[in-house]
Amino acid sequence: MRAIADVLRMIGGTLAAIVTLPFRLLARLFSGASRGARRSRRRTV
């Protein structure tokens, strides 16, 4: 029974990583874009 639970937990963790990956990439993209916008504003001021 414990082995089955371990396998299900591992599958769940893998699925969670796959599902959250695009959202993490989008968050990184937008945070990088906002950082770049902040930097360019500082240069012009």
Side-chain angles (χ1 to χ4, degrees):
M1 205 65 183
R2 185 178 172 121
I4 294 170
D6 287 341
V7 169
L8 288 175
R9 196 175 298 122
M10 194 168 63
I11 292 171
T14 304
L15 281 174
I18 291 170
V19 168
T20 58
L21 183 64
F23 296 105
R24 283 188 280 160
L25 290 174
L26 281 174
R28 186 175 294 177
L29 181 75
F30 284 118
S31 70
S34 67
R35 270 190 232 134
R38 273 188 245 139
R39 282 186 199 142
S40 65
R41 259 189 255 141
R42 285 183 190 160
R43 284 182 195 151
T44 57
V45 173

